[in-house]
Amino acid sequence: MSQVAETILVRRIAAGPEGDRSARARFVLALLILLLLAVTAMSIATGASDASVIGVLEGWLGGGAESALSARDRLIINEIRLPRIALGMFVGAALAVSGALMQGLFRNPLADPGIIGVSAGAALGAISVIVLGHTLLAPAVGLLGIYALPLAAFVGGLATTLILYSVATRRGQTSIATMLLAGIALAALAGALSGILIYIADDRQLRDLTFWQLGSLGGATWTKIGAAAPVIAVALAVTPFLARGLNALALGEPSARHLGVAVQCIKALAILAVAAATGASVAFTGGIGFVGIVVPHLLRLVIGPDHRYLLPASALLGASLLLIADAVSRTIVAPAELPIGIVTAVFGAPFFLWVLLRRRGILDL
Amino acid sequence: MIEARDLNVSIGGKRILSHVNFAAEPGIVTAIVGPNGSGKSTLIKTISGDLPYGGSITLNGQELARMKPAEAAMVRAVLPQSTTLSFPCTVREVVSLGIMRGYSAARDNCLPERALEKVDLAGFAGRFYQELSGGEQQRVQLARVLCQVWTPCLGQPRYLLLDEPVSSLDIKHQLIVLRIAREFAAAGGGVVAVLHDLNLTVAFAHHVVIMHQGRSVAGGTPEEVMQDALLSEVFDCQLKVGALPDGPTPFLLPQTAMV
């Protein structure tokens, strides 16, 4: 059924030459923008409370006296829902684009920041602050306040990436195979160190840790977004300059160089962008899995692997999917809240398996 | 002209090329032949800029080591022995990578189709690269490489570096591919090709360089290098060069060879 629909879609929309999926990709990009707008509107309108968007809009437009009820609604929407939506968008886009960048860089459709240890390093940083925040790291935490946790995660992610890069790079050449293997080793090491910290944690810290690891967009504030958004925005802003280089990298590094791509420069920029985007995301929202692997994968099936379209499409779909997952997480057990990491994994993992099974023929390279 | 002087290349501490001098003129097809492990592929890879080297390599007078990837890509395109892709791409998407920087003089939208037609793959644009046979994939890559240097001469001569371009092809497509190389040279470009088949080498190359144990041991026209003693020593078996009655074209029958 879906294949028939897909064929019709191709015939209708791919008006360009045979084998050229760029017309189709542009159409999908337009659809994704509409999807994100729709999802955003839906997210503003729904939540645990019955705050009315219409009432708030009327309050804005009317400009006059505001009832006590619409003042409360306005507070809920402006200070709870909107920051949460903004954080969800940035994090969803960051996770999906990080996945797409890593997959292009490692020439492997299953690569993910989780695999090369960036997420594990970021998690180690965050766990250190949660467990040692009142003892060993108390001076630093006292100084940084609420920024201590995100900063530690960011530093952890970046440090892992830099160690990885220096291990895998010799005389200006980065070996992708060495980097993957070193990433697995570093992820294991960061996991073990996190394990030690969890082992010495007290009961209250354990509860904090567990919820942070499960991931959540809860507790988003404009202050937090002020810290996360610029980092993620810079990382996303770099990606258009990497697209053509990543396309050529699909042929392998020597062929990409023969085509005129400054391979080392592309690799360094992509790694830094991934470290920044992943670090900031893990710091503010904890462990939200599967977005980085499912989103680019799905899009590649529909629009092909051209990074000029894949990267912006990943950002849009990643943002939309995370908002949908968040809407599920805060309504399914309302007024309580299910950690969003559980939602993305429960829907993401089986969906990913289904996609793998359905398209196995083309995926076997 | 591509010129290598006193080229020394080591991989993992082992000397692969020693004191190789090599030149490829524009306007002709230069073939590199030699037994397995003689350094043919290393030589073409070094000229392509894939390996660190001692000595000097110049591309139209510019030292290769000091050229940016984008500058080198203007002047030469490289066909590797085989290419696996990490993602499912259509044939058109692969071929289009050759024109990604707009280095080709012709920037028309039909260039991939024209390149595919040239390599006898007309109508393959919409197929998935991964679904093609090895020989078809090799020709798709050739189409991509042709797109990169579509105009053989753009202010200065441009070059095709082909590493075993016909090794996985049937005889018809071997002839088609080598004819493309001849046409490229005739239009003012230069072609360097690593070849295994000595008879095809004689039929299509203007200049032949013979590699043996990491050294360039002979160079000249096909007629000059197709000598019993030289070939027998280099390939380490008794070879007898024959000649057609109606011309000077030498040939080699494997049936007459002795190990």
Side-chain angles (χ1 to χ4, degrees), chain A residues 171-194:
Chain A
R171 281 184 265 114
Q173 302 282 316
T174 308
S175 155
I176 296 300
T178 312
M179 190 160 176
L180 265 176
L181 292 172
I184 290 168
L186 276 178
L189 182 64
L193 293 176
S194 301

PDB file of all heavy atoms in Angstrom, chain A residues 171-194:
ATOM      1  N   ARG A 171      48.819  12.700  11.333  1.00  0.00           N
ATOM      2  CA  ARG A 171      49.308  13.483  10.201  1.00  0.00           C
ATOM      3  C   ARG A 171      48.157  14.004   9.341  1.00  0.00           C
ATOM      4  O   ARG A 171      48.154  13.865   8.124  1.00  0.00           O
ATOM      5  CB  ARG A 171      50.273  12.634   9.347  1.00  0.00           C
ATOM      6  CG  ARG A 171      51.656  12.567   9.984  1.00  0.00           C
ATOM      7  CD  ARG A 171      52.655  11.821   9.129  1.00  0.00           C
ATOM      8  NE  ARG A 171      52.781  10.431   9.490  1.00  0.00           N
ATOM      9  CZ  ARG A 171      52.424   9.412   8.703  1.00  0.00           C
ATOM     10  NH1 ARG A 171      51.940   9.637   7.515  1.00  0.00           N
ATOM     11  NH2 ARG A 171      52.585   8.191   9.115  1.00  0.00           N
ATOM     12  N   GLY A 172      47.151  14.551  10.025  1.00  0.00           N
ATOM     13  CA  GLY A 172      46.068  15.193   9.283  1.00  0.00           C
ATOM     14  C   GLY A 172      45.085  14.238   8.634  1.00  0.00           C
ATOM     15  O   GLY A 172      44.194  14.653   7.911  1.00  0.00           O
ATOM     16  N   GLN A 173      45.228  12.936   8.877  1.00  0.00           N
ATOM     17  CA  GLN A 173      44.299  11.973   8.292  1.00  0.00           C
ATOM     18  C   GLN A 173      43.494  11.331   9.416  1.00  0.00           C
ATOM     19  O   GLN A 173      44.066  10.762  10.337  1.00  0.00           O
ATOM     20  CB  GLN A 173      45.065  10.874   7.549  1.00  0.00           C
ATOM     21  CG  GLN A 173      45.957  11.386   6.439  1.00  0.00           C
ATOM     22  CD  GLN A 173      45.171  11.736   5.191  1.00  0.00           C
ATOM     23  OE1 GLN A 173      44.290  10.989   4.781  1.00  0.00           O
ATOM     24  NE2 GLN A 173      45.460  12.888   4.613  1.00  0.00           N
ATOM     25  N   THR A 174      42.172  11.441   9.345  1.00  0.00           N
ATOM     26  CA  THR A 174      41.329  10.789  10.339  1.00  0.00           C
ATOM     27  C   THR A 174      40.884   9.439   9.818  1.00  0.00           C
ATOM     28  O   THR A 174      40.297   9.346   8.745  1.00  0.00           O
ATOM     29  CB  THR A 174      40.084  11.639  10.641  1.00  0.00           C
ATOM     30  OG1 THR A 174      40.503  12.948  10.958  1.00  0.00           O
ATOM     31  CG2 THR A 174      39.325  11.065  11.818  1.00  0.00           C
ATOM     32  N   SER A 175      41.197   8.397  10.578  1.00  0.00           N
ATOM     33  CA  SER A 175      40.727   7.076  10.191  1.00  0.00           C
ATOM     34  C   SER A 175      39.359   6.849  10.816  1.00  0.00           C
ATOM     35  O   SER A 175      39.211   6.841  12.034  1.00  0.00           O
ATOM     36  CB  SER A 175      41.709   6.007  10.658  1.00  0.00           C
ATOM     37  OG  SER A 175      41.023   4.779  10.812  1.00  0.00           O
ATOM     38  N   ILE A 176      38.366   6.677   9.958  1.00  0.00           N
ATOM     39  CA  ILE A 176      37.001   6.504  10.435  1.00  0.00           C
ATOM     40  C   ILE A 176      36.868   5.205  11.225  1.00  0.00           C
ATOM     41  O   ILE A 176      36.193   5.155  12.257  1.00  0.00           O
ATOM     42  CB  ILE A 176      36.022   6.524   9.239  1.00  0.00           C
ATOM     43  CG1 ILE A 176      36.054   7.886   8.563  1.00  0.00           C
ATOM     44  CG2 ILE A 176      34.623   6.163   9.675  1.00  0.00           C
ATOM     45  CD1 ILE A 176      35.674   9.040   9.445  1.00  0.00           C
ATOM     46  N   ALA A 177      37.552   4.163  10.772  1.00  0.00           N
ATOM     47  CA  ALA A 177      37.453   2.873  11.473  1.00  0.00           C
ATOM     48  C   ALA A 177      38.026   2.994  12.887  1.00  0.00           C
ATOM     49  O   ALA A 177      37.405   2.571  13.863  1.00  0.00           O
ATOM     50  CB  ALA A 177      38.189   1.797  10.691  1.00  0.00           C
ATOM     51  N   THR A 178      39.215   3.603  12.998  1.00  0.00           N
ATOM     52  CA  THR A 178      39.815   3.805  14.318  1.00  0.00           C
ATOM     53  C   THR A 178      38.901   4.630  15.193  1.00  0.00           C
ATOM     54  O   THR A 178      38.721   4.363  16.380  1.00  0.00           O
ATOM     55  CB  THR A 178      41.170   4.536  14.180  1.00  0.00           C
ATOM     56  OG1 THR A 178      41.921   3.895  13.167  1.00  0.00           O
ATOM     57  CG2 THR A 178      41.934   4.529  15.481  1.00  0.00           C
ATOM     58  N   MET A 179      38.284   5.652  14.589  1.00  0.00           N
ATOM     59  CA  MET A 179      37.439   6.549  15.352  1.00  0.00           C
ATOM     60  C   MET A 179      36.205   5.812  15.894  1.00  0.00           C
ATOM     61  O   MET A 179      35.824   5.994  17.051  1.00  0.00           O
ATOM     62  CB  MET A 179      37.004   7.699  14.460  1.00  0.00           C
ATOM     63  CG  MET A 179      36.320   8.794  15.224  1.00  0.00           C
ATOM     64  SD  MET A 179      36.361  10.300  14.264  1.00  0.00           S
ATOM     65  CE  MET A 179      35.404  11.338  15.311  1.00  0.00           C
ATOM     66  N   LEU A 180      35.604   4.958  15.056  1.00  0.00           N
ATOM     67  CA  LEU A 180      34.442   4.189  15.511  1.00  0.00           C
ATOM     68  C   LEU A 180      34.818   3.282  16.674  1.00  0.00           C
ATOM     69  O   LEU A 180      34.133   3.235  17.701  1.00  0.00           O
ATOM     70  CB  LEU A 180      33.908   3.330  14.363  1.00  0.00           C
ATOM     71  CG  LEU A 180      32.769   3.907  13.527  1.00  0.00           C
ATOM     72  CD1 LEU A 180      32.435   2.981  12.371  1.00  0.00           C
ATOM     73  CD2 LEU A 180      31.539   4.099  14.393  1.00  0.00           C
ATOM     74  N   LEU A 181      35.943   2.563  16.511  1.00  0.00           N
ATOM     75  CA  LEU A 181      36.356   1.624  17.557  1.00  0.00           C
ATOM     76  C   LEU A 181      36.739   2.373  18.825  1.00  0.00           C
ATOM     77  O   LEU A 181      36.349   1.999  19.936  1.00  0.00           O
ATOM     78  CB  LEU A 181      37.531   0.773  17.064  1.00  0.00           C
ATOM     79  CG  LEU A 181      37.157  -0.192  15.936  1.00  0.00           C
ATOM     80  CD1 LEU A 181      38.389  -0.868  15.368  1.00  0.00           C
ATOM     81  CD2 LEU A 181      36.165  -1.229  16.436  1.00  0.00           C
ATOM     82  N   ALA A 182      37.500   3.468  18.671  1.00  0.00           N
ATOM     83  CA  ALA A 182      37.874   4.265  19.836  1.00  0.00           C
ATOM     84  C   ALA A 182      36.625   4.833  20.509  1.00  0.00           C
ATOM     85  O   ALA A 182      36.555   4.920  21.742  1.00  0.00           O
ATOM     86  CB  ALA A 182      38.817   5.393  19.415  1.00  0.00           C
ATOM     87  N   GLY A 183      35.631   5.210  19.703  1.00  0.00           N
ATOM     88  CA  GLY A 183      34.379   5.737  20.244  1.00  0.00           C
ATOM     89  C   GLY A 183      33.670   4.702  21.104  1.00  0.00           C
ATOM     90  O   GLY A 183      33.161   5.017  22.185  1.00  0.00           O
ATOM     91  N   ILE A 184      33.670   3.449  20.625  1.00  0.00           N
ATOM     92  CA  ILE A 184      33.031   2.386  21.411  1.00  0.00           C
ATOM     93  C   ILE A 184      33.777   2.210  22.740  1.00  0.00           C
ATOM     94  O   ILE A 184      33.164   2.094  23.810  1.00  0.00           O
ATOM     95  CB  ILE A 184      33.014   1.073  20.593  1.00  0.00           C
ATOM     96  CG1 ILE A 184      32.030   1.227  19.422  1.00  0.00           C
ATOM     97  CG2 ILE A 184      32.612  -0.108  21.465  1.00  0.00           C
ATOM     98  CD1 ILE A 184      32.113   0.133  18.388  1.00  0.00           C
ATOM     99  N   ALA A 185      35.128   2.235  22.675  1.00  0.00           N
ATOM    100  CA  ALA A 185      35.920   2.095  23.897  1.00  0.00           C
ATOM    101  C   ALA A 185      35.668   3.249  24.860  1.00  0.00           C
ATOM    102  O   ALA A 185      35.480   3.048  26.068  1.00  0.00           O
ATOM    103  CB  ALA A 185      37.407   2.010  23.541  1.00  0.00           C
ATOM    104  N   LEU A 186      35.646   4.472  24.318  1.00  0.00           N
ATOM    105  CA  LEU A 186      35.431   5.643  25.173  1.00  0.00           C
ATOM    106  C   LEU A 186      34.033   5.640  25.780  1.00  0.00           C
ATOM    107  O   LEU A 186      33.849   6.020  26.943  1.00  0.00           O
ATOM    108  CB  LEU A 186      35.627   6.933  24.368  1.00  0.00           C
ATOM    109  CG  LEU A 186      37.062   7.425  24.230  1.00  0.00           C
ATOM    110  CD1 LEU A 186      37.099   8.678  23.368  1.00  0.00           C
ATOM    111  CD2 LEU A 186      37.669   7.708  25.592  1.00  0.00           C
ATOM    112  N   ALA A 187      33.040   5.192  24.982  1.00  0.00           N
ATOM    113  CA  ALA A 187      31.677   5.111  25.512  1.00  0.00           C
ATOM    114  C   ALA A 187      31.634   4.132  26.677  1.00  0.00           C
ATOM    115  O   ALA A 187      30.992   4.394  27.705  1.00  0.00           O
ATOM    116  CB  ALA A 187      30.705   4.680  24.408  1.00  0.00           C
ATOM    117  N   ALA A 188      32.355   3.006  26.538  1.00  0.00           N
ATOM    118  CA  ALA A 188      32.389   2.018  27.616  1.00  0.00           C
ATOM    119  C   ALA A 188      33.063   2.606  28.856  1.00  0.00           C
ATOM    120  O   ALA A 188      32.597   2.417  29.985  1.00  0.00           O
ATOM    121  CB  ALA A 188      33.136   0.768  27.148  1.00  0.00           C
ATOM    122  N   LEU A 189      34.160   3.343  28.624  1.00  0.00           N
ATOM    123  CA  LEU A 189      34.881   3.943  29.753  1.00  0.00           C
ATOM    124  C   LEU A 189      34.009   4.987  30.467  1.00  0.00           C
ATOM    125  O   LEU A 189      33.893   4.975  31.705  1.00  0.00           O
ATOM    126  CB  LEU A 189      36.166   4.595  29.248  1.00  0.00           C
ATOM    127  CG  LEU A 189      37.059   5.233  30.308  1.00  0.00           C
ATOM    128  CD1 LEU A 189      37.573   4.158  31.274  1.00  0.00           C
ATOM    129  CD2 LEU A 189      38.228   5.965  29.675  1.00  0.00           C
ATOM    130  N   ALA A 190      33.380   5.849  29.675  1.00  0.00           N
ATOM    131  CA  ALA A 190      32.506   6.865  30.268  1.00  0.00           C
ATOM    132  C   ALA A 190      31.353   6.195  31.014  1.00  0.00           C
ATOM    133  O   ALA A 190      30.959   6.632  32.103  1.00  0.00           O
ATOM    134  CB  ALA A 190      31.966   7.803  29.183  1.00  0.00           C
ATOM    135  N   GLY A 191      30.848   5.096  30.447  1.00  0.00           N
ATOM    136  CA  GLY A 191      29.766   4.359  31.103  1.00  0.00           C
ATOM    137  C   GLY A 191      30.214   3.787  32.439  1.00  0.00           C
ATOM    138  O   GLY A 191      29.489   3.845  33.444  1.00  0.00           O
ATOM    139  N   ALA A 192      31.451   3.246  32.462  1.00  0.00           N
ATOM    140  CA  ALA A 192      31.981   2.659  33.695  1.00  0.00           C
ATOM    141  C   ALA A 192      32.181   3.733  34.770  1.00  0.00           C
ATOM    142  O   ALA A 192      31.814   3.541  35.932  1.00  0.00           O
ATOM    143  CB  ALA A 192      33.294   1.946  33.404  1.00  0.00           C
ATOM    144  N   LEU A 193      32.738   4.888  34.351  1.00  0.00           N
ATOM    145  CA  LEU A 193      32.935   5.979  35.310  1.00  0.00           C
ATOM    146  C   LEU A 193      31.592   6.472  35.834  1.00  0.00           C
ATOM    147  O   LEU A 193      31.431   6.728  37.033  1.00  0.00           O
ATOM    148  CB  LEU A 193      33.710   7.132  34.655  1.00  0.00           C
ATOM    149  CG  LEU A 193      35.166   6.816  34.288  1.00  0.00           C
ATOM    150  CD1 LEU A 193      35.798   8.001  33.562  1.00  0.00           C
ATOM    151  CD2 LEU A 193      35.965   6.467  35.539  1.00  0.00           C
ATOM    152  N   SER A 194      30.611   6.579  34.932  1.00  0.00           N
ATOM    153  CA  SER A 194      29.265   6.944  35.375  1.00  0.00           C
ATOM    154  C   SER A 194      28.746   5.915  36.360  1.00  0.00           C
ATOM    155  O   SER A 194      28.086   6.258  37.350  1.00  0.00           O
ATOM    156  CB  SER A 194      28.312   7.043  34.179  1.00  0.00           C
ATOM    157  OG  SER A 194      28.774   7.995  33.262  1.00  0.00           O
TER     158      SER A 194
END
